[in-house]
Short mmCIF file of all heavy atoms in Angstrom, two decimals:
data_model
loop_
_atom_site.label_atom_id
_atom_site.label_comp_id
_atom_site.label_asym_id
_atom_site.label_seq_id
_atom_site.Cartn_x
_atom_site.Cartn_y
_atom_site.Cartn_z
N GLU A 333 -108.62 -83.47 124.39
CA GLU A 333 -110.01 -83.50 123.84
C GLU A 333 -110.13 -84.61 122.79
O GLU A 333 -109.30 -84.86 121.94
CB GLU A 333 -110.22 -82.17 123.10
CG GLU A 333 -111.68 -81.77 122.97
CD GLU A 333 -111.88 -80.40 122.41
OE1 GLU A 333 -110.94 -79.62 122.39
OE2 GLU A 333 -113.00 -80.25 121.85
N VAL A 334 -111.32 -85.35 122.91
CA VAL A 334 -111.64 -86.37 121.94
C VAL A 334 -111.81 -85.71 120.54
O VAL A 334 -112.38 -84.62 120.48
CB VAL A 334 -112.93 -87.11 122.39
CG1 VAL A 334 -113.48 -88.02 121.32
CG2 VAL A 334 -112.70 -87.87 123.73
N GLY A 335 -111.39 -86.37 119.57
CA GLY A 335 -111.47 -85.87 118.16
C GLY A 335 -110.26 -85.11 117.71
O GLY A 335 -110.07 -84.93 116.51
N GLU A 336 -109.47 -84.61 118.69
CA GLU A 336 -108.24 -83.84 118.33
C GLU A 336 -107.13 -84.69 117.85
O GLU A 336 -107.07 -85.86 118.10
CB GLU A 336 -107.80 -82.98 119.51
CG GLU A 336 -108.35 -81.55 119.50
CD GLU A 336 -107.86 -80.77 118.29
OE1 GLU A 336 -107.26 -81.29 117.35
OE2 GLU A 336 -108.24 -79.50 118.27
N THR A 337 -106.23 -84.06 117.17
CA THR A 337 -105.02 -84.73 116.70
C THR A 337 -103.84 -84.29 117.54
O THR A 337 -103.74 -83.12 117.88
CB THR A 337 -104.68 -84.32 115.22
OG1 THR A 337 -105.74 -84.92 114.39
CG2 THR A 337 -103.36 -84.81 114.75
N TYR A 338 -102.98 -85.21 117.99
CA TYR A 338 -101.82 -84.84 118.81
C TYR A 338 -100.60 -85.54 118.13
O TYR A 338 -100.73 -86.74 117.69
CB TYR A 338 -102.00 -85.26 120.23
CG TYR A 338 -103.15 -84.64 120.93
CD1 TYR A 338 -104.38 -85.24 121.04
CD2 TYR A 338 -103.00 -83.34 121.48
CE1 TYR A 338 -105.47 -84.59 121.58
CE2 TYR A 338 -104.08 -82.73 122.09
CZ TYR A 338 -105.29 -83.36 122.16
OH TYR A 338 -106.35 -82.69 122.77
N GLU A 339 -99.44 -84.88 118.18
CA GLU A 339 -98.20 -85.53 117.74
C GLU A 339 -97.43 -85.86 118.97
O GLU A 339 -96.97 -84.98 119.71
CB GLU A 339 -97.42 -84.66 116.79
CG GLU A 339 -96.11 -85.31 116.32
CD GLU A 339 -95.38 -84.59 115.26
OE1 GLU A 339 -96.02 -83.95 114.42
OE2 GLU A 339 -94.10 -84.71 115.20
N VAL A 340 -97.20 -87.18 119.18
CA VAL A 340 -96.49 -87.63 120.35
C VAL A 340 -94.95 -87.78 120.01
O VAL A 340 -94.66 -88.33 119.01
CB VAL A 340 -97.04 -89.00 120.92
CG1 VAL A 340 -96.29 -89.41 122.23
CG2 VAL A 340 -98.51 -88.84 121.19
N HIS A 341 -94.13 -87.25 120.86
CA HIS A 341 -92.69 -87.38 120.77
C HIS A 341 -92.09 -88.18 121.95
O HIS A 341 -92.41 -87.90 123.09
CB HIS A 341 -91.99 -85.98 120.77
CG HIS A 341 -92.36 -85.22 119.49
ND1 HIS A 341 -92.24 -83.88 119.44
CD2 HIS A 341 -92.82 -85.63 118.30
CE1 HIS A 341 -92.54 -83.44 118.19
NE2 HIS A 341 -92.90 -84.53 117.55
N TRP A 342 -91.25 -89.11 121.63
CA TRP A 342 -90.43 -89.85 122.65
C TRP A 342 -88.98 -89.56 122.37
O TRP A 342 -88.34 -90.26 121.56
CB TRP A 342 -90.71 -91.35 122.53
CG TRP A 342 -92.08 -91.88 122.81
CD1 TRP A 342 -92.53 -92.33 124.01
CD2 TRP A 342 -93.18 -92.00 121.91
NE1 TRP A 342 -93.79 -92.74 123.94
CE2 TRP A 342 -94.31 -92.57 122.65
CE3 TRP A 342 -93.38 -91.72 120.53
CZ2 TRP A 342 -95.50 -92.86 122.05
CZ3 TRP A 342 -94.62 -92.07 119.97
CH2 TRP A 342 -95.68 -92.54 120.73
N PRO A 343 -88.37 -88.55 123.06
CA PRO A 343 -86.90 -88.35 122.89
C PRO A 343 -86.15 -89.54 123.46
O PRO A 343 -86.55 -90.08 124.58
CB PRO A 343 -86.68 -87.12 123.67
CG PRO A 343 -88.03 -86.47 123.88
CD PRO A 343 -89.00 -87.57 123.88
N HIS A 344 -85.18 -90.03 122.72
CA HIS A 344 -84.28 -91.12 123.19
C HIS A 344 -82.85 -90.59 123.27
O HIS A 344 -82.42 -89.83 122.43
CB HIS A 344 -84.32 -92.23 122.07
CG HIS A 344 -85.60 -93.07 122.11
ND1 HIS A 344 -86.85 -92.55 121.86
CD2 HIS A 344 -85.74 -94.42 122.31
CE1 HIS A 344 -87.72 -93.57 121.89
NE2 HIS A 344 -87.05 -94.71 122.13
N SER A 345 -82.12 -91.23 124.17
CA SER A 345 -80.73 -90.84 124.24
C SER A 345 -79.88 -91.98 124.75
O SER A 345 -80.30 -92.76 125.67
CB SER A 345 -80.58 -89.64 125.26
OG SER A 345 -79.17 -89.36 125.47
N ALA A 346 -78.66 -92.09 124.22
CA ALA A 346 -77.74 -93.11 124.72
C ALA A 346 -77.08 -92.62 125.95
O ALA A 346 -76.40 -93.42 126.65
CB ALA A 346 -76.69 -93.44 123.64
N ALA A 347 -77.24 -91.36 126.32
CA ALA A 347 -76.66 -90.80 127.53
C ALA A 347 -77.80 -90.67 128.60
O ALA A 347 -77.61 -89.99 129.59
CB ALA A 347 -76.05 -89.46 127.30
N GLY A 348 -78.92 -91.29 128.37
CA GLY A 348 -80.02 -91.27 129.33
C GLY A 348 -79.71 -92.22 130.48
O GLY A 348 -78.75 -92.99 130.44
N ALA A 349 -80.51 -92.11 131.58
CA ALA A 349 -80.32 -93.02 132.74
C ALA A 349 -81.00 -94.31 132.41
O ALA A 349 -81.92 -94.78 133.15
CB ALA A 349 -80.87 -92.32 133.95
N CYS A 350 -80.60 -94.93 131.25
CA CYS A 350 -81.29 -96.04 130.70
C CYS A 350 -81.39 -97.26 131.73
O CYS A 350 -80.40 -97.63 132.38
CB CYS A 350 -80.67 -96.56 129.41
SG CYS A 350 -80.68 -95.30 128.11
N GLY A 351 -82.56 -97.85 131.84
CA GLY A 351 -82.70 -98.97 132.68
C GLY A 351 -82.65 -98.68 134.20
O GLY A 351 -82.52 -99.62 134.97
N THR A 352 -82.74 -97.45 134.58
CA THR A 352 -82.80 -97.13 135.99
C THR A 352 -84.11 -96.37 136.25
O THR A 352 -84.84 -95.99 135.35
CB THR A 352 -81.64 -96.18 136.41
OG1 THR A 352 -81.92 -94.84 136.05
CG2 THR A 352 -80.32 -96.61 135.81
N VAL A 353 -84.33 -96.15 137.55
CA VAL A 353 -85.65 -95.46 137.92
C VAL A 353 -85.64 -94.03 137.46
O VAL A 353 -86.64 -93.34 137.57
CB VAL A 353 -85.92 -95.56 139.44
CG1 VAL A 353 -86.14 -97.00 139.85
CG2 VAL A 353 -84.84 -94.97 140.19
N ASN A 354 -84.52 -93.48 137.13
CA ASN A 354 -84.41 -92.11 136.68
C ASN A 354 -84.53 -91.94 135.17
O ASN A 354 -84.23 -90.84 134.65
CB ASN A 354 -83.10 -91.51 137.15
CG ASN A 354 -82.97 -91.44 138.64
OD1 ASN A 354 -83.92 -91.09 139.34
ND2 ASN A 354 -81.82 -91.79 139.19
N GLN A 355 -84.89 -92.96 134.46
CA GLN A 355 -84.93 -92.93 132.97
C GLN A 355 -85.78 -91.82 132.41
O GLN A 355 -85.35 -91.11 131.52
CB GLN A 355 -85.32 -94.29 132.46
CG GLN A 355 -85.24 -94.37 130.93
CD GLN A 355 -85.46 -95.77 130.43
OE1 GLN A 355 -85.08 -96.77 131.09
NE2 GLN A 355 -86.14 -95.96 129.31
N TYR A 356 -87.06 -91.69 132.92
CA TYR A 356 -87.95 -90.74 132.32
C TYR A 356 -87.81 -89.31 133.07
O TYR A 356 -87.88 -89.34 134.28
CB TYR A 356 -89.42 -91.21 132.38
CG TYR A 356 -89.69 -92.28 131.34
CD1 TYR A 356 -89.37 -93.56 131.54
CD2 TYR A 356 -90.19 -91.87 130.11
CE1 TYR A 356 -89.61 -94.52 130.62
CE2 TYR A 356 -90.41 -92.83 129.14
CZ TYR A 356 -90.13 -94.20 129.33
OH TYR A 356 -90.33 -95.09 128.39
N GLN A 357 -87.71 -88.32 132.30
CA GLN A 357 -87.49 -86.97 132.89
C GLN A 357 -88.32 -85.92 132.17
O GLN A 357 -88.55 -85.96 130.97
CB GLN A 357 -86.01 -86.65 132.67
CG GLN A 357 -84.99 -87.47 133.41
CD GLN A 357 -84.93 -87.27 134.87
OE1 GLN A 357 -85.05 -86.10 135.30
NE2 GLN A 357 -84.82 -88.32 135.67
N THR A 358 -88.71 -84.91 132.94
CA THR A 358 -89.25 -83.65 132.43
C THR A 358 -88.47 -82.52 133.11
O THR A 358 -88.31 -82.58 134.33
CB THR A 358 -90.76 -83.52 132.78
OG1 THR A 358 -91.47 -84.54 132.10
CG2 THR A 358 -91.28 -82.15 132.37
N PRO A 359 -87.90 -81.53 132.38
CA PRO A 359 -87.95 -81.47 130.92
C PRO A 359 -87.09 -82.59 130.30
O PRO A 359 -86.13 -83.11 130.91
CB PRO A 359 -87.24 -80.10 130.69
CG PRO A 359 -86.34 -79.85 131.82
CD PRO A 359 -87.08 -80.44 133.05
N PHE A 360 -87.38 -82.95 128.99
CA PHE A 360 -86.75 -84.04 128.43
C PHE A 360 -85.26 -83.83 128.25
O PHE A 360 -84.49 -84.82 128.24
CB PHE A 360 -87.38 -84.41 127.04
CG PHE A 360 -87.24 -83.40 125.98
CD1 PHE A 360 -86.03 -83.31 125.23
CD2 PHE A 360 -88.28 -82.57 125.60
CE1 PHE A 360 -85.91 -82.44 124.19
CE2 PHE A 360 -88.15 -81.62 124.60
CZ PHE A 360 -86.93 -81.54 123.90
N TYR A 361 -84.80 -82.56 128.25
CA TYR A 361 -83.34 -82.31 128.11
C TYR A 361 -82.60 -82.91 129.35
O TYR A 361 -81.47 -83.39 129.10
CB TYR A 361 -83.04 -80.82 128.11
CG TYR A 361 -83.67 -80.08 126.91
CD1 TYR A 361 -84.87 -79.41 127.03
CD2 TYR A 361 -83.05 -80.10 125.67
CE1 TYR A 361 -85.45 -78.79 125.89
CE2 TYR A 361 -83.53 -79.47 124.59
CZ TYR A 361 -84.82 -78.78 124.65
OH TYR A 361 -85.34 -78.16 123.60
N ASP A 362 -83.14 -82.93 130.47
CA ASP A 362 -82.52 -83.62 131.64
C ASP A 362 -82.24 -85.11 131.30
O ASP A 362 -81.23 -85.58 131.72
CB ASP A 362 -83.41 -83.46 132.86
CG ASP A 362 -83.34 -82.06 133.57
OD1 ASP A 362 -82.53 -81.22 133.08
OD2 ASP A 362 -84.09 -81.89 134.53
N GLY A 363 -83.16 -85.68 130.73
CA GLY A 363 -83.08 -87.13 130.34
C GLY A 363 -82.05 -87.35 129.28
O GLY A 363 -81.23 -88.22 129.37
N VAL A 364 -82.05 -86.49 128.22
CA VAL A 364 -81.15 -86.61 127.07
C VAL A 364 -79.72 -86.51 127.52
O VAL A 364 -78.85 -87.22 127.11
CB VAL A 364 -81.51 -85.57 125.96
CG1 VAL A 364 -80.39 -85.52 124.95
CG2 VAL A 364 -82.86 -85.90 125.38
N PHE A 365 -79.47 -85.52 128.43
CA PHE A 365 -78.07 -85.16 128.82
C PHE A 365 -77.69 -85.81 130.16
O PHE A 365 -76.63 -85.47 130.69
CB PHE A 365 -77.88 -83.65 128.83
CG PHE A 365 -78.11 -83.04 127.52
CD1 PHE A 365 -79.10 -82.15 127.25
CD2 PHE A 365 -77.12 -83.22 126.53
CE1 PHE A 365 -79.25 -81.52 126.02
CE2 PHE A 365 -77.22 -82.60 125.28
CZ PHE A 365 -78.33 -81.73 124.99
N CYS A 366 -78.44 -86.68 130.69
CA CYS A 366 -78.26 -87.14 132.07
C CYS A 366 -76.82 -87.66 132.28
O CYS A 366 -76.16 -87.23 133.25
CB CYS A 366 -79.21 -88.30 132.43
SG CYS A 366 -79.14 -88.70 134.14
N ASN A 367 -76.27 -88.44 131.41
CA ASN A 367 -74.89 -88.92 131.55
C ASN A 367 -74.00 -88.34 130.55
O ASN A 367 -73.02 -88.94 130.07
CB ASN A 367 -74.92 -90.46 131.39
CG ASN A 367 -75.59 -91.11 132.57
OD1 ASN A 367 -75.35 -90.73 133.79
ND2 ASN A 367 -76.38 -92.06 132.33
#
Side-chain angles (χ1 to χ4, degrees):
E333 205 175 340
V334 170
E336 264 300 4
T337 292
Y338 299 96
E339 177 168 332
V340 182
H341 291 160
W342 293 266
H344 284 62
S345 172
C350 298
T352 79
V353 297
N354 296 317
Q355 185 172 324
Y356 284 86
Q357 295 286 322
T358 294
F360 67 80
Y361 296 98
D362 282 355
V364 168
F365 295 113
C366 189
N367 291 316

